[in-house]
């Protein structure tokens, strides 16, 4: 077990190297001049200021040299500074709690609502509840993410005034319910549908007959002998869907004005602020890798047959 | 528990299935099956695959439910209480406490992701209201009773960590945990090798003797029947062909199908010759037929067989459903 964890952690190193490089490359390849973007459109930057900034951020060096400088800093614990001179580590420290709360809220929504809907649909296969879940998830999958975000803001935040439409002033959980729900829509349909399929597979398993023959009440048969067994594939889906969720925070924090990590990326991309995008982006990748490791360990608890290897 | 339910009659048979009909879609898989068993008695239900013997057992346990299957007529009575007319909650309370079942394949019948001790402990928690800890202790006792070595440790193991024979012991443990009055064993040894089969059958016999349990043993193994059964019900195509004390069935079958089954047992003096078979195949359960269901494969078939025979009593505890039973039994 310990060795397995070590191996998985070691595997994260090349993955992180690769992702930082790809993100770095993507920022580098953005069209436009970062210095000009920083100053704002139409403003003239004096050549001497531009020169100083260029040298400080190694903007005149080839890509691979720039990336080398960046990595060197990263290995010595220095994530670099953004174009305004703020250390990235400071930005991360400020934004992390917001993104963490948003991510956890959305993940919980996705897991709880998805599993409940999927179970309901599976157990009532072919009946109204099942059709509603199948139709509803198809609809959700068809709606672009940002449309759902703006509609939710206008309807629940502005027109009905039930929940804050933007900002984090209301704190957790109130400020995070609406963005969390919209973010959860990313993975909710897949979670619900996979749960449904998995429940259907388990519904007529022999061991469920045993559970019934044991005289267990229906709710225990369903919860302990059908749903628990059905969760095994769902858990690994939830791990993977965290990746989508984290990438979704960029847009959601932008739209809902939540000052988290995603918001920083949202603001940094138009400014060509490479260190911010790469630093935070890679951090999110690291979180994704760690959570998936935890999920895989959890998998062994859910399914003892694959544990002792 | 049973005493307070409607229809209870202490003089009625312990378990009596009466004129049971089960349909799966258009297929009529059980057509008027009836048998009864008393405390301490072993009743063997004999028949080939598809004869409806397992479906009857599942119907007794309440495992035949829409949309997959439907019980269209009949009664399943425990000391007079008709299970099919009980509310689900009362019926649930009788499962495992009064009637329990042992399934054919213990590997698939046990939940793969829960420790076996937990699966047994569930019974004590749900039916006896014991705490988690007490229930676990009782589960270990039961595992010990079915002679699983180092029961206390093994209680934490998962089904896949047991051998086939040990796993079926766990299956038996589940059935006997609450000391039910009737145990239905659905081919409990079919999935095991021969040496283990004998051990499991011995274990079942001992438990039955100690507790005075009625045992309904579903099997297609004539050897097992000869060893353990008090009485035999022979089923074919969803009907009871013959029922009789076990010794009578072997000594003098009163139904052509029973006779054919006995003739198909491989015997030493037939070594080197082809195995005996019953020619033909069982009828399609989806196609209704007013005649005897066995007549196409029967060497005694006559014109009378175009009409389905009623069961007739031909001796003490003996009944057969054959027009030609006198010719078969040579009387």
């Amino acid at each position: 077990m310990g060795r397995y964890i070590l191996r998985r952690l070691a595997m994260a190193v090349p993955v992180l190297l690769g992702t930082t490089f790809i993100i770095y490359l993507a920022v580098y390849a953005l069209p436009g001049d970062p210095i000009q973007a920083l100053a704002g459109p139409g403003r003239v930057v004096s050549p001497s200021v531009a020169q100083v900034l260029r040298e400080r951020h190694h903007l005149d060096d080839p890509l691979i040299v720039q990336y080398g400088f960046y990595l060197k800093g990263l290995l010595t614990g220095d994530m670099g500074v953004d174009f305004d001179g703020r250390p990235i580590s400071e930005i991360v420290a400020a934004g992390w709690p917001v993104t963490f709360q948003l991510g956890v809220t959305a993940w919980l929504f996705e897991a709880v609502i998805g599993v409940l809907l999927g179970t309901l649909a599976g157990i009532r296969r072919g009946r109204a509840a099942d059709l509603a879940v199948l139709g509803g998830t198809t609809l959700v999958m068809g709606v672009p993410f940002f449309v759902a975000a703006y509609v939710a803001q206008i309807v629940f935040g502005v027109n009905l005034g039930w929940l804050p439409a933007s900002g984090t002033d209301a704190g957790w959980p109130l400020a995070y319910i609406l963005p969390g729900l919209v973010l959860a829509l990313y993975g909710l349909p897949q979670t619900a549908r996979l749960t449904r399929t998995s429940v259907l597979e388990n519904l007529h398993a022999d061991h469920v007959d045993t559970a019934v023959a044991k005289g267990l009440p229906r709710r225990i048969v369903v919860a302990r002998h059908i749903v628990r067994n059905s969760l095994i594939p769902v858990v690994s889906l939830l791990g993977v869907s965290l990746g989508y969720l984290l990438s979704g925070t960029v847009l959601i924090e932008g739209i809902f004005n939540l000052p988290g990590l995603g918001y920083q990326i949202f603001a940094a991309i138009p400014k060509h602020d490479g260190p911010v995008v790469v630093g935070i982006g890679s951090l999110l990748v690291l979180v994704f890798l760690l959570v998936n490791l935890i999920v895989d360990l959890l998998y062994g608890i859910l399914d003892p047959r694959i544990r002792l290897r | 528990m049973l005493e307070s339910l409607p229809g209870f009659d202490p003089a009625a048979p312990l378990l009596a299935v009466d004129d049971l009909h089960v349909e799966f879609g258009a297929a009529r898989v059980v057509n008027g099956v009836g048998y009864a068993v008393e405390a301490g008695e072993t009743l063997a239900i004999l028949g080939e695959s598809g004869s409806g013997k397992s479906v009857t057992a599942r119907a007794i346990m309440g495992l035949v439910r829409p949309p997959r299957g439907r019980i269209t007529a009949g009664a399943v009575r425990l000391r007079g209480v008709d299970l099919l007319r009980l509310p689900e909650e009362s019926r649930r309370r009788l499962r495992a406490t009064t009637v329990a079942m042992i399934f054919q394949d213990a590997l698939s019948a046990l939940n793969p992701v829960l420790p076996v001790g937990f699966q047994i402990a569930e019974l004590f928690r749900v039916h006896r209201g014991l705490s988690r800890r007490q229930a676990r202790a009782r589960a270990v006792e039961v595992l010990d009773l079915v002679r699983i070595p180092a029961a206390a440790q093994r209680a934490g193991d998962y089904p896949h960590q047991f051998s086939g024979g040990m796993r079926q012991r766990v299956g038996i443990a589940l059935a006997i945990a609450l000391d039910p009055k009737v145990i239905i064993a659905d081919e409990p040894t079919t999935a095991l090798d021969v040496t283990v089969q004998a051990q499991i059958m011995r274990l079942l016999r001992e438990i039955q003797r100690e507790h005075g349990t009625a045992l309904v043993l579903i099997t297609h193994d004539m050897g097992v029947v000869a060893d353990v059964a008090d009485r035999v019900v022979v089923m074919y195509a969803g009907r009871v062909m013959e029922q009789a004390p076990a010794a009578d069935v072997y000594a003098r079958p009163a139904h052509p199908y029973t006779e054919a089954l006995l003739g198909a047992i491989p015997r030493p003096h037939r070594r080197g010759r082809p195995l005996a078979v019953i020619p033909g195949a069982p009828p399609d359960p989806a196609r209704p037929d007013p005649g005897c269901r066995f007549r196409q494969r029967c060497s005694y078939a006559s014109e009378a067989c175009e009409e389905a025979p009623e069961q007739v009593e031909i001796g003490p505890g003996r009944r057969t459903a054959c027009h030609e039973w006198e010719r078969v039994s040579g009387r």
Side-chain angles (χ1 to χ4, degrees), chain A residues 195-206 208 226 230 233:
Chain A
T195 307
R196 173 182 180 273
T197 310
S198 192
V199 163
L200 282 179
E201 264 170 32
N202 277 298
L203 205 52
H204 298 296
D206 287 350
V208 176
I226 297 175
S230 307

Side-chain angles (χ1 to χ4, degrees), chain A residues 172-241:
Chain A
W172 197 86
L174 224 50
Y176 291 91
I177 292 178
L178 214 47
L181 270 176
V182 176
L183 191 52
L185 290 184
Y186 247 154
L188 197 62
Q190 285 91 325
T191 309
R193 281 167 171 247
L194 185 65
T195 307
R196 173 182 180 273
T197 310
S198 192
V199 163
L200 282 179
E201 264 170 32
N202 277 298
L203 205 52
H204 298 296
D206 287 350
H207 76 259
V208 176
D209 281 342
T210 307
V212 173
K214 279 160 74 179
L216 304 182
R218 183 74 188 149
R219 72 192 142 75
I220 291 186
V221 173
V222 170
R224 202 179 280 158
H225 293 275
I226 297 175
V227 174
R228 192 193 183 285
N229 296 54
S230 307
L231 282 185
I232 293 164
V234 177
V235 163
S236 59
L237 174 75
L238 284 174
V240 177
S241 85

Side-chain angles (χ1 to χ4, degrees), chain B residues 157-172:
Chain B
D157 284 351
Y158 294 87
H160 71 276
Q161 292 168 293
F162 288 79
S163 67
M166 286 296 150
R167 209 147 42 212
Q168 192 54 290
R169 283 169 196 262
V170 174
I172 293 172

Side-chain angles (χ1 to χ4, degrees), chain B residues 294-315:
Chain B
F294 189 60
R295 70 181 187 282
Q296 287 88 352
R297 304 172 77 183
C298 181
S299 52
Y300 296 87
S302 66
E303 250 171 57
C305 303
E306 294 304 314
E307 195 178 317
E310 293 292 316
Q311 276 202 20
V312 286
E313 182 135 15
I314 59 168

Side-chain angles (χ1 to χ4, degrees), chain B:
Chain B
M1 182 177 307
L2 200 55
E3 291 76 5
S4 61
L5 292 171
F8 178 75
D9 172 6
L14 180 52
L15 168 70
V17 178
D18 184 24
D19 194 31
L20 193 72
H21 287 74
V22 179
E23 292 179 5
F24 285 105
R28 296 177 180 175
V29 290
V30 174
N31 286 290
V33 165
Y35 51 73
V37 61
E38 276 304 336
E41 190 184 33
T42 297
L43 175 68
I45 313 288
L46 195 61
E48 61 193 271
S49 306
S51 60
K53 55 195 195 304
S54 289
V55 173
T56 307
R58 295 172 59 82
I60 296 170
M61 292 306 297
L63 297 173
V64 173
R65 278 174 307 182
R68 302 224 293 181
R70 219 155 49 90
I71 297 173
T72 50
V76 175
R77 294 194 184 87
L78 283 174
R79 292 258 183 259
V81 177
D82 188 353
L83 299 183
L84 303 183
R85 269 151 201 85
L86 282 183
E88 175 54 28
E89 180 60 17
S90 316
R91 216 177 158 190
R92 176 183 76 72
R93 287 174 193 281
L94 293 176
R95 294 193 185 113
T97 60
T98 311
V99 201
M101 183 153 173
I102 300 169
F103 292 88
Q104 178 176 338
D105 178 8
L107 181 58
S108 64
L110 292 168
N111 189 329
V113 304
L114 297 173
V116 298
F118 181 91
Q119 297 188 50
I120 298 169
E122 264 189 319
L123 289 164
F124 293 105
R125 288 168 68 189
V126 164
H127 291 288
R128 301 279 185 259
L130 296 193
S131 74
R132 193 177 278 257
R133 182 185 296 253
Q134 290 169 318
R136 197 191 136 84
R138 295 297 303 274
V140 172
E141 284 169 28
V142 179
L143 285 173
D144 208 41
L145 207 66
V146 294
R147 277 174 231 123
I148 288 183
Q153 285 106 58
R154 301 236 63 188
D157 284 351
Y158 294 87
H160 71 276
Q161 292 168 293
F162 288 79
S163 67
M166 286 296 150
R167 209 147 42 212
Q168 192 54 290
R169 283 169 196 262
V170 174
I172 293 172
L174 276 179
I176 65 165
L178 300 176
D179 198 9
K181 293 186 167 59
V182 182
I183 292 179
I184 302 171
D186 187 0
E187 306 200 20
T189 58
T190 303
L192 306 173
D193 17 322
V194 183
T195 48
V196 182
Q197 283 185 4
Q199 293 168 14
I200 293 290
M201 280 317 302
R202 209 174 306 133
L203 176 68
L204 264 178
R205 285 290 278 172
E206 282 173 24
I207 288 165
Q208 183 204 13
R209 254 188 229 127
E210 277 165 35
H211 296 257
T213 318
L215 180 64
V216 178
L217 181 68
I218 298 167
T219 182
H220 51 237
D221 185 336
M222 306 284 285
V224 169
V225 174
D227 284 346
V228 303
D230 299 311
R231 287 194 310 118
V232 177
V233 165
V234 180
M235 282 183 67
Y236 180 77
R239 287 175 179 80
V240 173
M241 298 284 113
E242 178 177 4
Q243 42 185 314
D248 293 2
V249 167
Y250 285 87
R252 192 184 278 176
H255 194 286
Y257 178 63
T258 317
E259 190 186 59
L261 275 182
L262 290 171
I265 299 175
R267 292 174 198 278
H269 70 265
R270 285 186 54 89
R271 185 182 295 275
R273 280 186 278 170
L275 290 169
V277 293
I278 304 173
D284 178 0
R287 195 167 296 157
D289 179 350
C292 172
R293 300 291 271 174
F294 189 60
R295 70 181 187 282
Q296 287 88 352
R297 304 172 77 183
C298 181
S299 52
Y300 296 87
S302 66
E303 250 171 57
C305 303
E306 294 304 314
E307 195 178 317
E310 293 292 316
Q311 276 202 20
V312 286
E313 182 135 15
I314 59 168
R318 284 207 78 169
R319 299 170 74 84
T320 182
C322 181
H323 296 298
E324 304 291 336
W325 70 270
E326 283 163 310
R327 274 171 60 208
V328 180
S329 62
R331 280 183 221 188

